[in-house]
Amino acid sequence: MILLVVIISLSIFTVISVYNLFTAPVLKIKQANYNSDKLVSVLVPARNEEINISKCIQGIINQDYKNKEIIILDDNSTDKTFEIASSIHSTNLNILSGKELPSDWLGKNWACHQLSSVAKGDYLLYIDADVDLKQNAISSVVYEMKTSNATLISIFPTQVIKSFGEYLIVPLMNWLLLTFLPLRFVYRSKNKSFVAANGQFMLWKKEDYFKIGGHNVVKDKIVEDMELARLAKKNNFKVKTFLGGELVYCRMYNSFQESYSGFQKNFFAGFSINPFFFLIMITFLLAVFVSPIVMLPTGSYYFLPVGLIILARVSISIVSRQNFIMNIFLHPIQMLFMFWIGILSVIKFKTNNLVWKQRKF
């Protein structure tokens, strides 16, 4: 009976994974050098980003979309972020110093709120400072905004993974996204359960962004991107979510330790469910995705569930542009980290002990 439950569960998850392989929206160049009369405000909240900020700004400046303004807000950095950003000169580039963080706001949300208050664009494009935009990224996503009539387009960048330690954790983000959510349904379905967004890249119609309250209504939310996307769907606005493909890249973390800490910050908070049910969920996932591998030496009937696990991991790895051999080889260890980090995520959330960029949430 337990084996049957495992096989049925894996069959459902594998169908979703394979479906995403063939249908998940991937940002592509739909019309070369597309420009419109819509002004795009490219907004970058930056805290302690001296390593990334120069490359990020140059990537925005080099976009083939011309009708844009670029606003960088230094969020009380303790490194040389402001100095490096200020040394770059462009006619449409503005570098701001962020105001002190109010007691009832979280840092990134406060920075995004400040950026929205000075942006002049018809569209607001929030990107993180570690995002690497290829030349056609903004023109392509603006074209998608026009043709899809979406209020929000969010992109999960193609993750750049350079170290073994990062491979133990970073692939979990796309695994969680593409194993359990048919990504195309975010746009096609009105059901509010089908929602996914990533604050690394969010393009908003400005008027709709302010209609739902902007970052002001999520000022104390850790996973503000998901909360805003849920609000958009709740207000019957269209949300469309893409994978970055060859146009939007990001190296989220530079080491195992950064990956370990960063995933703790968002994991539990992103699901917006009761802690007890979250712990039950990750325990179930650990059992379903690891037990067949552990039991494989005991009988040939475990070949089917293990084969389903491999098929799902290959499908997700291909559409995410990740190394599927690494993800298959490291799968059991990744699942153990998913479980352990999930537990820590709940504990730190409930004890208000989350820290990021040298600042407590």
Side-chain angles (χ1 to χ4, degrees):
M1 181 62 71
I2 294 175
L3 178 60
L4 182 62
V5 170
V6 168
I7 291 175
I8 292 173
S9 300
L10 285 172
S11 298
I12 294 170
F13 298 147
T14 302
V15 167
I16 295 172
S17 302
V18 174
Y19 178 79
N20 278 324
L21 170 63
F22 292 104
T23 68
V26 178
L27 188 66
K28 297 177 182 177
I29 302 173
K30 293 294 181 65
Q31 185 171 325
N33 300 314
Y34 174 75
N35 277 271
S36 81
D37 59 349
K38 300 293 186 181
L39 175 65
V40 177
S41 296
V42 187
L43 310 175
V44 184
R47 176 173 171 83
N48 295 344
E49 294 285 358
E50 62 181 9
I51 295 175
N52 299 309
I53 195 63
S54 179
K55 183 178 182 181
C56 176
I57 294 173
Q58 292 296 341
I60 302 169
I61 291 172
N62 294 336
Q63 291 295 299
D64 62 3
Y65 192 88
K66 304 304 181 185
N67 194 15
K68 63 182 181 291
E69 64 171 355
I70 307 164
I71 309 175
I72 314 296
L73 186 132
D74 175 59
D75 182 17
N76 298 288
S77 296
T78 58
D79 63 5
K80 296 181 180 179
T81 297
F82 183 81
E83 291 88 336
I84 295 171
S86 299
S87 69
I88 302 171
H89 301 288
S90 178
T91 55
N92 55 359
L93 174 64
N94 190 12
I95 312 297
L96 305 178
S97 292
K99 299 176 182 177
E100 287 298 316
L101 178 64
S103 59
D104 57 341
W105 282 79
L106 294 183
K108 182 180 179 183
N109 302 344
W110 174 237
C112 290
H113 175 70
Q114 293 175 78
L115 285 162
S116 69
S117 68
V118 298
K120 299 183 178 73
D122 304 289
Y123 295 150
L124 305 181
L125 173 57
Y126 290 101
I127 68 168
D128 283 357
D130 53 7
V131 169
D132 178 17
L133 300 180
K134 301 308 176 186
Q135 185 180 22
N136 306 109
I138 293 180
S139 60
S140 298
V141 76
V142 170
Y143 181 80
E144 291 287 355
M145 178 73 88
K146 177 187 175 183
T147 55
S148 66
N149 195 32
T151 280
L152 166 64
I153 291 183
S154 186
I155 294 177
F156 283 78
T158 300
Q159 295 299 322
V160 178
I161 306 174
K162 294 186 177 181
S163 70
F164 180 78
E166 292 167 69
Y167 245 110
L168 294 175
I169 297 175
V170 173
L172 287 171
M173 183 175 72
N174 278 27
W175 179 78
L176 288 164
L177 175 69
L178 299 172
T179 299
F180 309 109
L181 176 66
L183 201 59
R184 179 170 286 194
F185 283 28
V186 174
Y187 177 70
R188 289 196 166 184
S189 173
K190 293 183 178 180
N191 190 324
K192 298 173 185 63
S193 299
F194 295 111
V195 63
N198 187 345
Q200 293 175 328
F201 191 115
M202 300 181 79
L203 178 68
W204 289 91
K205 286 182 179 176
K206 184 179 181 179
E207 60 179 345
D208 294 340
Y209 167 82
F210 282 115
K211 280 180 183 177
I212 66 171
H215 280 81
N216 185 60
V217 294
V218 295
K219 60 184 178 181
D220 60 346
K221 303 299 184 183
I222 294 174
V223 188
E224 82 293 338
D225 44 13
M226 288 289 290
E227 297 291 346
L228 284 169
R230 291 187 183 107
L231 277 172
K233 292 203 82 169
K234 184 178 179 180
N235 284 273
N236 296 314
F237 290 129
K238 286 283 191 179
V239 176
K240 194 166 188 179
T241 304
F242 286 83
L243 301 177
E246 296 182 349
L247 294 179
V248 183
Y249 290 84
C250 177
R251 188 180 184 192
M252 287 182 67
Y253 308 113
N254 295 308
S255 66
F256 168 80
Q257 187 57 50
E258 281 191 15
S259 307
Y260 185 72
S261 300
F263 210 64
Q264 286 179 46
K265 174 174 69 74
N266 295 320
F267 191 16
F268 166 63
F271 279 87
S272 191
I273 60 175
N274 181 280
F276 176 75
F277 291 120
F278 177 80
L279 294 173
I280 293 295
M281 179 190 75
I282 60 173
T283 301
F284 172 75
L285 293 180
L286 180 69
V288 167
F289 282 94
V290 174
S291 61
I293 298 171
V294 174
M295 298 300 294
L296 186 59
T298 67
S300 59
Y301 30 84
Y302 287 102
F303 276 104
L304 175 58
V306 170
L308 291 172
I309 291 171
I310 292 173
L311 177 58
R313 289 309 306 246
V314 169
S315 299
I316 294 169
S317 297
I318 291 173
V319 74
S320 301
R321 298 177 181 271
Q322 294 176 1
N323 186 321
F324 69 85
I325 295 176
M326 286 287 285
N327 281 334
I328 293 171
F329 176 72
L330 295 175
H331 171 81
I333 303 174
Q334 290 175 353
M335 293 301 101
L336 289 171
F337 273 116
M338 180 271 299
F339 179 70
W340 176 242
I341 290 173
I343 294 173
L344 294 179
S345 182
V346 171
I347 293 171
K348 293 199 172 187
F349 181 87
K350 299 302 289 185
T351 58
N352 194 28
N353 194 30
L354 290 166
V355 177
W356 188 244
K357 298 286 184 181
Q358 302 173 4
R359 184 164 59 191
K360 187 174 181 179
F361 280 102

